[in-house]
Amino acid sequence: MPIKVSVVIPVYNPGPYIEDCIASLLRQSLPDNEYEAIFVNDGSTDGTPARLDRLAAEHPHMHVIHQEASGWSGKPRNTGIAAAKGEFIQFVDNDDWLGDEALERMYNYGVENNADVIVGKMAGKGRPVPLELFRKNRPRASVENAPLIDSLTPHKMFRKEFLDRHNLRYMEGRRRLEDHVFVTEAYLRAGNISVLSDYLCYYHIKRDDASNAGFQRFDPVGYFKNLREALDVVEELTEPGPLRDRLFRRWLRSEMVERMRGNRLLKLPADYRQELFDEIHKVVVERFGPGVAAGLQPTQQIVAGLIAANRLGDIEQFAQWEAGIRPTGALESLNWENGKLRIGFTAEYTAGGEPMTFRADDDSDGDKSLLAPPLPQTSLDAIALLGADTSAPLNKSKVDLVVRERDTAAEFFQPVELTREKVAVEGRDGFFRQILRATAAVDPLTAANGAELGSGIWDVLIRLSSCGWTKETRLGSVRADGVRQGRTGALVGSPERLVLPYWTDPHGNLSLDVGQKTNRLSYDLAGLTPAEVTVTGDPARLTAALPLHVQGKADVTLKLTGLGESPTSTVPAVLADRPAGGSELTADLPVGELADGRWRLELILPAAGKEKPAALALALQAERGALVVKPVAAVAAALAAKGPERGKPPVVARKSTLRRAVGKLRRALKK
């Protein structure tokens, strides 16, 4: 059987961090005879070489190559390319890991679209990853129609014949940005590039000891010498003009301007800050024409202009102002509608703890707004001479709502309807705030780029983009008074799964529990009182209004957990949608089997895995041939007063069990 994919992993002293990588490779959905993993040990001095030898001995598709230390990742990756037998090569770092179906999905997507390069969706655990690139699937992407240039790490799949045809290899030796050079050339030479965004393929991990190579402080002279090599590739493979300027803009923005902004700059020692600035200034004046900075956002243009003008002091002053800029959000509404959770919210930026203000341009004929950065006029004049635009394009401000899975950091954009409002600032003529009002619709069945949300805790965030700032914040801790009534769970899908919005503890932010990963449903049902539950008719029918949203009807189970000597049993039940909101639970009770006893009521919802009964804090008690609903505490107290039954210990012990259970539920709130 031909090898479809060769996975190349450069290895140097990863210690235990390599175990997640190994485990993910062994879990791949591709059959073992259709892929191989090649670990290239680049002179490791820990226990990793022996670990890899054992792995290769146990698994025929796992291979290890030992070589002397080369100092960086380029040479071991090239060694892996030379040894690879696969149609495609996937590069993985030794402290990262793959999704279980990553190789199979990426390979099939690449073959389907005749791609030379396949970029799989990434999640960053403590590390930044591209966001806009993975907003949707892109079967035919290029540097001209997609933000590919924002993703220059090597963690992609490449057609081996394509690499060999163009003799594409990594620069070797101890150096920086060898991946930028390699990936940029691959992008510019590829016949087609495909971006797979509907499955999380690659987990990019920051180690607990922060010893990943990318987190070490670098030598500015050597770093920007290596950066120039990436610029050389662009100059070789493009013509002067808008495309080249746009590609150059990526390095100006990400490797230079962003290093000179806010706390990222201010936390650096003064001498290193000056050394870094000097090297950045050299590249800017040597390599970038005016068209490169012209496409930046206004705040980025300000910093780029100050770099070109050699004004580090003003950059530091601007950074002090930017360090106090924060996004804020308020949750205005929350409700289920046709199986979708509709989330209404507002968002705006603050500066120094106060709402950010903008100034109307009195010299403009149109509706133009200006930033008001705290810079001296001499600096503003220098920026203007360099052609930097300090206007505030507030008509382009936007806010996204994102759901992010807590364990994996997988995140997905949700559809948003947006309006922009100007609010005049009292007492300051010509100044105003901008408030974004938005409503997002989260459909649990399609929220993961067309796929359903997997079981887990999904945190809700908003990401606000305006004037060159893109910052995110949690949503929910500030909320309108009426929001609480809309915070109910819903049964969605077929088979049904519970999706439960809840407030985190202690901050009160909005998260979604998908698939009952917590015990929070019991807290939502704990407020149910005996007055809200009826038992009528013959046979006895129990009816209760529950704070759960369903579409039509859903089959559930009512569990009767015996108290004292009473036996435990289960009863089929139905949840039906109520026009007034929530749902109505109905269950026919087997009166003959419940002649004399007491039972705690628990609700069991459909579940893909282990059932998780949710306590209603109510109990059934048989009295004179009738079934009466009472609080669990009252029934427990009655049993305790009655004393031991048939040699059993007093039910007081059962009350302590209940208290422990309540304690567990309270602790669960802190997840």
Side-chain angles (χ1 to χ4, degrees):
M1 176 70 69
I3 300 297
K4 292 181 176 178
V5 182
S6 297
V7 184
V8 173
I9 311 101
V11 178
Y12 180 74
N13 286 353
Y17 293 99
I18 199 172
E19 294 301 330
D20 286 331
C21 178
I22 292 173
S24 76
L25 291 170
L26 293 174
R27 289 196 306 267
Q28 288 302 300
S29 58
L30 268 182
D32 290 356
N33 62 352
E34 294 185 6
Y35 76 102
E36 64 178 354
I38 303 171
F39 293 87
V40 183
N41 170 40
D42 196 50
S44 295
T45 57
D46 61 2
T48 303
R51 171 70 177 97
L52 294 177
D53 286 339
R54 292 194 303 271
L55 177 71
E58 295 168 2
H59 300 278
H61 63 308
M62 299 282 130
H63 311 300
V64 58
I65 299 173
H66 299 286
Q67 65 182 32
E68 293 184 1
S70 66
W72 212 250
S73 299
K75 185 172 182 178
R77 289 194 184 114
N78 289 341
T79 300
I81 294 173
K85 300 176 182 176
E87 181 183 353
F88 287 86
I89 297 176
Q90 168 73 44
F91 294 103
V92 176
D93 284 349
N94 60 196
D95 35 29
D96 296 339
W97 68 79
L98 296 174
D100 293 355
E101 301 174 21
L103 297 182
E104 181 177 16
R105 287 177 180 250
M106 293 175 71
Y107 174 84
N108 290 339
Y109 197 61
V111 171
E112 176 186 344
N113 294 292
N114 193 29
D116 291 324
V117 183
I118 304 98
V119 186
K121 183 178 176 68
M122 303 176 70
K125 296 283 284 184
R127 305 195 68 163
V129 297
L131 301 173
E132 287 296 327
L133 178 62
F134 300 120
R135 189 182 283 268
K136 61 181 181 180
N137 281 346
R138 304 175 191 267
R140 301 199 63 81
S142 70
V143 292
E144 298 185 46
N145 64 20
L148 284 167
I149 201 67
D150 291 338
S151 178
L152 293 181
T153 62
H155 315 119
K156 299 164 178 62
M157 188 176 285
F158 300 86
R159 188 183 297 273
K160 187 174 188 299
E161 182 277 331
F162 164 73
L163 298 182
D164 291 342
R165 176 164 28 103
H166 293 287
N167 194 29
L168 266 170
R169 296 296 187 267
Y170 291 90
M171 291 183 168
E172 298 184 1
R174 188 165 182 82
R175 56 183 301 109
R176 294 279 186 164
L177 304 180
E178 81 288 343
D179 48 356
H180 285 209
V181 176
F182 180 91
V183 175
T184 299
E185 184 171 355
Y187 282 163
L188 292 173
R189 293 192 184 279
N192 183 42
I193 304 166
S194 295
V195 181
L196 179 65
S197 301
D198 59 6
Y199 180 78
L200 185 48
C201 299
Y202 196 95
Y203 296 86
H204 201 24
I205 309 301
K206 179 181 179 181
R207 286 161 57 156
D208 294 337
D209 59 4
S211 62
N212 311 73
F215 283 91
Q216 308 309 306
R217 181 173 293 179
F218 58 80
D219 165 42
V221 174
Y223 187 91
F224 288 101
K225 176 184 177 183
N226 295 153
L227 185 146
R228 287 177 174 90
E229 294 166 342
L231 302 181
D232 291 342
V233 171
V234 175
E235 288 190 342
E236 177 188 352
L237 298 177
T238 65
E239 297 295 329
L243 175 60
R244 180 183 291 182
D245 286 346
R246 181 150 55 85
L247 297 179
F248 276 178
R249 195 173 299 135
R250 183 262 178 230
W251 284 279
L252 174 60
R253 181 187 69 244
S254 299
E255 306 300 331
M256 303 179 201
V257 167
E258 291 302 319
R259 296 183 188 278
M260 295 283 110
R261 296 183 70 181
N263 285 323
R264 188 174 180 183
L265 173 69
L266 298 175
K267 70 182 181 182
L268 298 176
D271 56 345
Y272 184 75
R273 191 186 303 175
Q274 181 68 59
E275 185 181 2
L276 186 64
F277 174 81
D278 289 343
E279 293 305 315
I280 289 174
H281 170 72
K282 290 176 185 176
V283 177
V284 168
V285 297
E286 289 172 9
R287 302 297 293 265
F288 298 148
V292 179
L296 294 173
Q297 293 293 320
T299 50
Q300 296 166 343
Q301 286 197 40
I302 289 173
V303 176
L306 292 172
I307 291 172
N310 203 19
R311 303 180 77 99
L312 176 58
D314 291 333
I315 288 177
E316 292 170 331
Q317 187 174 346
F318 189 71
Q320 291 281 0
W321 178 62
E322 284 200 298
I325 294 174
R326 301 283 187 276
T328 63
L331 184 60
E332 303 291 347
S333 62
L334 187 69
N335 64 282
W336 287 97
E337 184 179 304
N338 298 323
K340 298 179 182 180
L341 183 63
R342 296 188 63 81
I343 304 173
F345 60 97
T346 57
E348 69 175 316
Y349 271 115
T350 62
E354 298 294 328
M356 179 171 286
T357 59
F358 303 90
R359 180 168 57 88
D361 184 1
D362 296 332
D363 298 329
S364 171
D365 295 332
D367 188 21
K368 187 176 180 180
S369 306
L370 297 175
L371 291 167
L375 292 173
Q377 190 58 48
T378 52
S379 295
L380 295 175
D381 292 341
I383 294 169
L385 286 173
L386 291 164
D389 184 3
T390 59
S391 64
L394 299 180
N395 62 322
K396 296 182 180 179
S397 297
K398 67 174 184 176
V399 63
D400 286 300
L401 185 135
V402 175
V403 293
R404 178 184 296 157
E405 208 278 320
R406 192 174 295 174
D407 287 341
T408 65
E411 65 175 54
F412 298 97
F413 292 95
Q414 303 304 303
V416 169
E417 298 175 356
L418 172 67
T419 59
R420 304 175 182 90
E421 294 184 5
K422 286 185 176 181
V423 179
V425 177
E426 186 175 351
R428 297 185 66 192
D429 189 35
F431 284 82
F432 62 91
R433 299 160 51 193
Q434 184 183 56
I435 298 177
L436 303 182
R437 295 191 179 275
T439 301
V442 180
D443 182 349
L445 302 182
T446 61
N449 278 8
E452 67 179 6
L453 292 179
S455 295
I457 304 300
W458 293 83
D459 295 323
V460 178
L461 308 94
I462 58 173
R463 186 171 292 134
L464 179 56
S465 300
S466 181
C467 302
W469 300 294
T470 297
K471 300 175 183 289
E472 65 182 34
T473 185
R474 292 295 306 274
L475 182 66
S477 60
V478 178
R479 52 183 180 263
D481 293 338
V483 169
R484 183 177 178 276
Q485 286 70 30
R487 193 202 58 73
T488 61
L491 285 176
V492 298
S494 179
E496 294 96 345
R497 285 191 310 162
L498 177 67
V499 178
L500 180 65
Y502 70 91
W503 313 129
T504 62
D505 184 26
H507 302 295
N509 293 313
L510 178 63
S511 292
L512 307 179
D513 176 358
V514 179
Q516 286 185 271
K517 304 302 287 186
T518 72
N519 294 321
R520 293 175 186 273
L521 178 60
S522 292
Y523 275 83
D524 282 10
L525 301 180
L528 203 63
T529 66
E532 296 173 289
V533 183
T534 60
V535 181
T536 59
D538 186 14
R541 170 163 289 188
L542 180 144
T543 305
L546 299 184
L548 286 172
H549 176 80
V550 296
Q551 291 182 275
K553 295 182 178 181
D555 294 327
V556 297
T557 301
L558 189 64
K559 183 177 181 181
L560 309 179
T561 300
L563 299 174
E565 290 291 293
S566 305
T568 295
S569 62
T570 57
V571 179
V574 174
L575 282 175
D577 182 47
R578 295 175 69 236
S583 58
E584 183 175 79
L585 172 71
T586 58
D588 291 331
L589 303 176
V591 178
E593 301 174 18
L594 307 176
D596 182 22
R598 303 164 179 84
W599 299 266
R600 187 172 68 245
L601 297 179
E602 295 179 294
L603 183 65
I604 301 177
L605 299 179
K610 183 179 178 181
E611 292 180 344
K612 295 189 69 172
L616 272 66
L618 297 174
L620 278 177
Q621 181 168 322
E623 294 182 353
R624 295 185 296 276
L627 294 173
V628 180
V629 179
K630 292 188 175 183
V632 166
V635 174
L639 284 169
K642 186 176 180 181
E645 295 184 59
R646 299 180 185 177
K648 300 286 185 180
V651 184
V652 172
R654 294 184 180 271
K655 289 181 68 178
S656 66
T657 300
L658 288 173
R659 286 196 295 270
R660 286 195 297 272
V662 170
K664 287 182 179 179
L665 292 175
R666 285 175 177 162
R667 288 192 293 275
L669 277 177
K670 296 183 179 180
K671 285 188 177 180

